[in-house]
Amino acid sequence: MDPVTYPLYRRTVDRRHVYRIESPDRFTEIQVVGSRLLTHVVHVRAYPEMVRLQEMIAAIDGRYEPMAASDWQELQDRLQNDRG
């Protein structure tokens, strides 16, 4: 198995949630709610969060898909511009 190189970028297939996986125990989520963007930093500690993170990394269950770093950066830039 190849070692994982971080960060990894994933999104849900409906594109309402995008993720930057920074390490095996931390990820940042940008959630699209209408025209607004919300951001959450998650420190993975509980078992359900560990499972969720592994599902995101594997992206084989049909719920998550890989995305380009540039797509993440566009949303990150939008967040920064909205905050002024």
Side-chain angles (χ1 to χ4, degrees):
M1 181 180 209
D2 293 335
V4 177
T5 303
Y6 296 97
L8 298 172
Y9 299 91
R10 300 290 188 262
R11 64 180 161 219
T12 55
V13 294
D14 65 6
R15 297 182 179 217
R16 294 186 329 177
H17 303 267
V18 298
Y19 306 91
R20 181 181 63 210
I21 304 166
E22 291 117 9
S23 70
D25 61 356
R26 178 186 157 127
F27 64 89
T28 302
E29 173 186 11
I30 297 175
Q31 182 179 8
V32 180
V33 181
S35 62
R36 296 192 57 190
L37 298 176
L38 305 173
T39 187
H40 311 276
V41 176
V42 178
H43 297 273
V44 177
R45 293 188 178 94
Y47 182 74
E49 293 168 335
M50 291 176 199
V51 171
R52 179 178 175 205
L53 183 59
Q54 289 306 310
E55 289 173 348
M56 283 192 276
I57 290 171
I60 57 174
D61 66 354
R63 185 172 170 199
Y64 301 101
E65 62 187 16
M67 65 180 279
S70 59
D71 293 338
W72 169 270
Q73 192 58 51
E74 283 180 31
L75 290 173
Q76 190 70 25
D77 292 345
R78 197 170 128 198
L79 266 169
Q80 294 302 318
N81 290 335
D82 288 349
R83 292 180 181 158

